Structures are given as structure tokens and as C-alpha cells.
Amino acid sequence: MSAIRDEARAARGRKMVIFLGDYIDRGPDSRGVIRFLTELDGGEGIEWRFLMGNHERTMLDFLQDPSVGVQWCEFGGEATLASYGLKLPHLRHKPEAWARVSADLDHMLAEPERHFLESLELSITVGDYFFVHAGARPGQPLDRQTSRDLMWIRNSFLDSETAFERVVVHGHTPTRFVHSDHRRIGLDTKAYASGVLSAVRFSGESRWLIQATKDPEGDSVSVNGSCLSAV
């Protein structure tokens, strides 16, 4: 994160940092991640923007509909609940058990955390780029995409060769290496498991890849940069 902040500080003109979503459900401290993001400020002229991922959407859905808890905990919700000091219900087949956990989470959620989650954006357009969590439906204009596709789409977007009116920058689908071509840039390198956090600095027509890599022991982080070309 410090490397990304340093790159933003060094930028000329408009300084914007866009996060692509999925801040929770991975690692031991989802709540700590949310708190960290809520405390980022606009000092030094940096504009911080945050997209909604399918994990945040599911957490919000759980607060409104406790029955979502079963699905949420199949892909990481248990870790988020644990970060709030909550456990899965013993009787997971009982709706009332999930309702109690949902109510407890609602009670534990601090107001700045709630505001952060409810204010997450579905997409951001800057110049020739369209930033989104998951991707977009081929054949549909970017301004007519559904919220579900923006947060959940995968294969039909990834496997298509149909280009959009802008280059789509996304996360959601983890890959070993950053993907970059004429239609999309995929930045999810599964940081919680691989230890590699990837970002791109856009300046004019240039794309500069920034990767922070944590060593296996977790004692140090190295930062590397390289030009990212469209394959």
C-alpha cells in the first residue's frame, strides 16, 4: 500500500487511486482492512475511490436477509464474521440462528464502516479506462451493464474477444500474472495467498505495473515496477 501511495504522490495532475473491491473474506482481519480504508484521507491531493466487489455486496445482503449467510460463508464470510468476534451458528439449518448472527453483525458494525460499505461504487470511468470489480457483459455498452454482471461476471467476459468502447480494468478472477491486452487489464494476483499485490499506474498512454511481494515468512515486502504493454 505504501508503494501505491508513493506513486500517487509522485503523479502530476490529477491523483486518483481506485480500489477494485473484495476487501473482505480473505485473511484474518477483514474488519481491520475496512477500517484502514475508511481512514484514508485526501491529503496531498490524492482522491481515493472504492469499487464494490461481490464479497461486500454479499455482506450487505446478509444484513438485510440472514438466509444469505449460508451462501456467504461458502466463499469466505466466516473469516469476516470472525474479525468482528462472531461465530457461525451451531444450528446452521435454522433460519433463526442466522438471523441472530446477522443482528449481531449489524450491531457490531461501526457507523464509518457501514457508510463505507454502502457508499461503494459499481464502476468508475476515467479517460479511456472503465474500472469495475469483475468485468462487463460483451455486446452491451458499458453504461448499460447490470450491477450483477459488474460484480460477478467471469467466463463470458474473460473468454470473449469482443472489445468495449474503453479498456476494462478489473479484479475478481485471480491469475498468477497480470493480464493485459487491447480490451481488458486483470489485476487480481490473489494477494492473500500469493503474497503479490498488483496495481497499475496510468499516465497518458503509459501503463506502469507496480507489484508488492511479501516473502514467505512475512518479514519483508519488496516492490518492483515495470512497463505493462497490451499483448
Side-chain angles (χ1 to χ4, degrees):
M1 183 60 209
S2 60
I4 294 173
R5 192 194 300 265
D6 290 344
E7 286 286 336
R9 288 170 177 165
R12 296 181 179 180
R14 189 178 185 183
K15 303 178 181 181
M16 180 187 296
V17 177
I18 299 174
F19 293 81
L20 298 178
D22 281 0
Y23 316 114
I24 63 170
D25 294 352
R26 298 291 184 263
D29 194 13
S30 292
R31 187 179 197 181
V33 172
I34 294 175
R35 284 177 168 176
F36 174 80
L37 296 176
T38 63
E39 293 170 359
L40 292 172
D41 60 38
E44 299 180 272
I46 299 174
E47 182 181 352
W48 304 98
R49 304 281 294 273
F50 307 95
L51 292 170
M52 180 176 288
N54 58 306
H55 289 260
E56 290 79 45
R57 180 66 268 167
T58 306
M59 179 179 177
L60 289 173
D61 290 344
F62 175 63
L63 293 172
Q64 298 298 319
D65 179 5
S67 68
V68 173
V70 175
Q71 175 194 5
W72 182 30
C73 289
E74 288 177 352
F75 57 84
E78 182 175 1
T80 297
L81 291 174
S83 73
Y84 281 87
L86 303 174
K87 297 180 180 179
L88 299 185
H90 293 297
L91 301 176
R92 301 181 191 180
H93 62 290
K94 297 284 189 179
E96 58 270 26
W98 285 106
R100 286 192 292 272
V101 177
S102 176
D104 288 343
L105 178 60
D106 187 65
H107 177 72
M108 293 292 295
L109 202 62
E111 191 55 38
E113 298 165 6
R114 186 187 307 275
H115 177 74
F116 172 80
L117 292 167
E118 293 177 346
S119 301
L120 296 173
E121 301 176 77
L122 288 175
S123 66
I124 299 169
T125 299
V126 182
D128 295 328
Y129 299 97
F130 181 79
F131 297 85
V132 68
H133 174 63
R137 178 71 57 182
Q140 286 287 338
L142 292 174
D143 62 356
R144 296 178 60 187
Q145 298 286 324
T146 68
S147 60
R148 180 166 182 82
D149 279 341
L150 295 176
M151 288 183 287
W152 289 91
I153 200 168
R154 205 180 294 276
N155 291 340
S156 57
F157 163 67
L158 300 175
D159 297 340
S160 174
E161 296 183 0
T162 302
F164 298 90
E165 58 267 36
R166 291 179 171 85
V167 176
V168 178
V169 184
H170 67 95
H172 186 56
T173 301
T175 53
R176 183 178 179 185
F177 302 105
V178 168
H179 177 93
S180 175
D181 62 22
H182 68 287
R183 60 185 295 272
R184 69 179 183 90
I185 299 173
L187 288 174
D188 189 339
T189 46
K190 205 174 184 178
Y192 73 93
S194 68
V196 181
L197 178 66
S198 299
V200 172
R201 174 181 174 182
F202 298 94
S203 180
E205 297 183 357
S206 68
R207 304 172 183 176
W208 186 254
L209 175 64
I210 308 159
Q211 291 188 306
T213 305
K214 179 179 288 188
D215 68 41
E217 302 300 324
D219 295 327
S220 63
V221 174
S222 60
V223 179
N224 296 292
S226 61
C227 182
L228 182 67
S229 60
V231 177

